Amino acid sequence: MNKSVLSLLLLIICSKLSAQITIDSSDIAIAGDTVLYSEASPFTAGIDLSLTGANYQWDFSTLTPTVQSADTFLSVSGFGNLYSLFFVNIAFNPYRSSCAIRGTFPAVPGLTLSDEYNFFYKSAASYSQTGLGATLNGTDVPV
């Protein structure tokens, strides 16, 4: 009888617990993955985003997307140009990258930027941005 009551009590307590999510390397995109994302209108009523802290939960159930799109993570070796050389995924390269995704950079007066990319490296211990690349006045420039 006591074991049943204790088990029921533990089940009730555990059903009310909430915890922060944990993200590991298997949750991070790699070359070839496509990620769907949504954009929504700003909140107009009902949610005060300045309220935060321990034991505070936001309810986004009424949020509806205004735009949805998908991005595909690209293989660095598939670029076949200066980027492949600069961001090659070898151990001694400080800019080694395992994937890239299209990006948008701020406009620079007098310069024409196109084909903008963000480069990333994923390992079991980290996921970091290793560089940027863009075509600047017709020339590929890795940064």
Side-chain angles (χ1 to χ4, degrees), residues 43 45-60:
F43 295 105
I47 296 179
D48 182 358
L49 296 178
S50 66
L51 299 174
T52 185
N55 299 320
Y56 193 85
Q57 295 180 353
W58 292 333
D59 179 7
F60 294 106

Side-chain angles (χ1 to χ4, degrees), residues 59-72:
D59 179 7
F60 294 106
S61 62
T62 60
L63 193 63
T64 54
T66 55
V67 174
Q68 289 187 315
S69 190
D71 279 337
T72 301

